[in-house]
Amino acid sequence: MASWRLRASNANPSQTRRFNPRDPSPKWRGDSPAARFRGDNGTSPLNYDHIFDQAIQRLHAEGRYRVFIDILRNKGAYPDARCFAGHNGPKPITVWCSNDYLAMGQHPKVIAAMEEALNDVGAGSGGTRNIGGNTHYHIELEKELADLHGKEAALLFTSGYVSNDATLSTLAKLLPGCVIFSDEMNHASMIAGIRNSGCEKRIFRHNDVAHLEELLAAEDPNVPKLIAFESVYSMDADIAPIHDFCDLAEKYNALTYIDEVHAVGMYGARGGGITERDGAAHRIDVIEGTLGKAFGVMGGYIASDTRIIDCIRSYAPGFIFTTSLSPVLVAGVLAAVRHLKESSVEREAQQAAAAELKRQFREAGLPVMESATHIVPLMVGDPVRAKKISDILLAEYGAYVQPINFPTVPRGTERLRFTPGPAHTPEMMRELTSALVEIWDRLDLQLQKAA
């Protein structure tokens, strides 16, 4: 039987570990089992609990320990929800930070489609797409998504994170010597995909066209190149100069990859994202999106030409070896995509709500960040205070918004991120604004003078 020898970089050669995949308790050769739990000098036992405790304590000390709130949304009454944390019974709250931007997760068409699919085919998909998990729902949704972006084909994944990671890592591996040019503010899933590709990367300053061209010009013109960026950056709420990046891609013979997760469903006449709104979709080689934000359900996807889609479908482990999305979820997304292709009512109402909240924050002197999108970030600049504001809002005012801390945003730029939807009323916004002004005063934070 085959076995493998594993050696730590600082291990004594006589302590080379022999690993047998059928041995449930592999040992260090030439030593007792306890040697596995000793430190480098072989004398003092490692205290694993202490190591993990220290890791968690660091997060508490930095004010960025994450707490997941215990809530249930009220069907048909979004943004109303019930909070179970720290109460004898559920407490009514208003949700201000959901990425279900258009409340499509509550839409009657979506719920009806999911109920119909559940009663028709049952709950799970039955396996990977290759083994039992390919359904007519999956095929129909991929056709709709390809059509949404004007592409030849599309491919579903279990999440937007997986679609970025699997696609970027696979694309680069298929392109010998590929160099990826990545915006410094790209999402963690894009960074993971680039890292997992093992290829060379060049990081360009956020939305900086000149810096990107400088990096492209310095590269060997004969190596494959891929420019990876987002359309809407969800924390700063700004938009990439898509046409400028495409111009550079054409000039330097590079492929383009855009993450549209915060824009699909939200922009364009049919919800195709910023690339549809700006007439740029045909210039992008791979468009990636999510099904869990504006479309209100769950999943991720890419849209591209048939050749690229077939390569990712055939080579990406993150697609091949993962149980496919439940047909119940896919049916819900299918209903949402079809509805938003025909209806702009939800988009227009959401944009109006975002504009109103920005106006109220600005007039009250709250430090609302400049935003040309549907996202309303409020700068705090300190993780402890951001968490404190969030806690007070929930406990005393029944307003739920999560603090956004490092590593999601750089240290010193911690913020609250509001995502008002079509059902957030001006009165709700006035109550929220009043609460924030009171908390700002309580914590001795500075309000800004109205212009």
Side-chain angles (χ1 to χ4, degrees), residues 8-158:
S9 59
N10 60 349
N12 187 311
S14 66
Q15 289 186 323
T16 302
R17 186 177 183 180
R18 185 185 298 275
F19 175 69
N20 186 320
R22 295 188 181 180
D23 181 357
S25 55
K27 301 176 178 61
W28 288 93
R29 185 160 58 100
D31 209 335
S32 68
R36 285 178 293 158
F37 303 102
R38 291 178 183 161
D40 291 342
N41 59 11
T43 57
S44 57
L46 282 172
N47 186 333
Y48 290 108
D49 289 344
H50 179 64
I51 294 171
F52 295 135
D53 285 342
Q54 283 185 319
I56 296 300
Q57 287 166 10
R58 285 196 298 272
L59 295 178
H60 281 292
E62 295 171 11
R64 59 187 187 94
Y65 179 76
R66 297 171 188 261
V67 177
F68 299 155
I69 192 171
D70 183 359
I71 68 171
L72 288 174
R73 295 197 291 176
N74 297 327
K75 174 186 163 187
Y78 178 83
D80 293 343
R82 292 156 281 164
C83 178
F84 293 83
H87 309 291
N88 294 327
K91 171 186 175 180
I93 63 170
T94 301
V95 178
W96 285 99
C97 56
S98 173
N99 283 340
D100 186 359
Y101 295 132
L102 304 180
M104 290 304 296
Q106 304 285 313
H107 198 283
K109 287 183 181 179
V110 173
I111 293 171
M114 295 178 75
E115 289 175 342
E116 181 180 351
L118 181 64
N119 290 324
D120 185 28
V121 301
S125 69
T128 64
R129 291 288 291 275
N130 186 52
I131 305 175
N134 192 60
T135 74
H136 188 62
Y137 289 110
H138 292 78
I139 293 169
E140 286 295 297
L141 179 55
E142 286 173 342
K143 288 179 181 176
E144 289 287 350
L145 292 169
D147 171 76
L148 178 66
H149 296 292
K151 299 298 184 184
E152 294 176 347
L155 190 66
L156 293 175
F157 294 84
T158 50

Side-chain angles (χ1 to χ4, degrees), residues 73 77-80 94-106 266 293-294 344-358 360-361 373-376 400 417-429 432:
R73 295 197 291 176
Y78 178 83
D80 293 343
T94 301
V95 178
W96 285 99
C97 56
S98 173
N99 283 340
D100 186 359
Y101 295 132
L102 304 180
M104 290 304 296
Q106 304 285 313
M266 302 296 296
K293 292 182 172 61
S344 292
V345 172
E346 293 80 8
R347 284 188 283 276
E348 291 170 0
Q350 197 283 330
Q351 289 288 340
E356 175 64 17
L357 187 60
K358 291 174 193 175
Q360 291 198 26
F361 280 179
T373 68
H374 58 281
I375 298 164
V376 186
Y400 171 47
R417 176 181 176 274
F418 297 86
T419 54
H424 286 95
T425 66
E427 179 56 33
M428 290 177 178
M429 297 179 199
L432 173 66

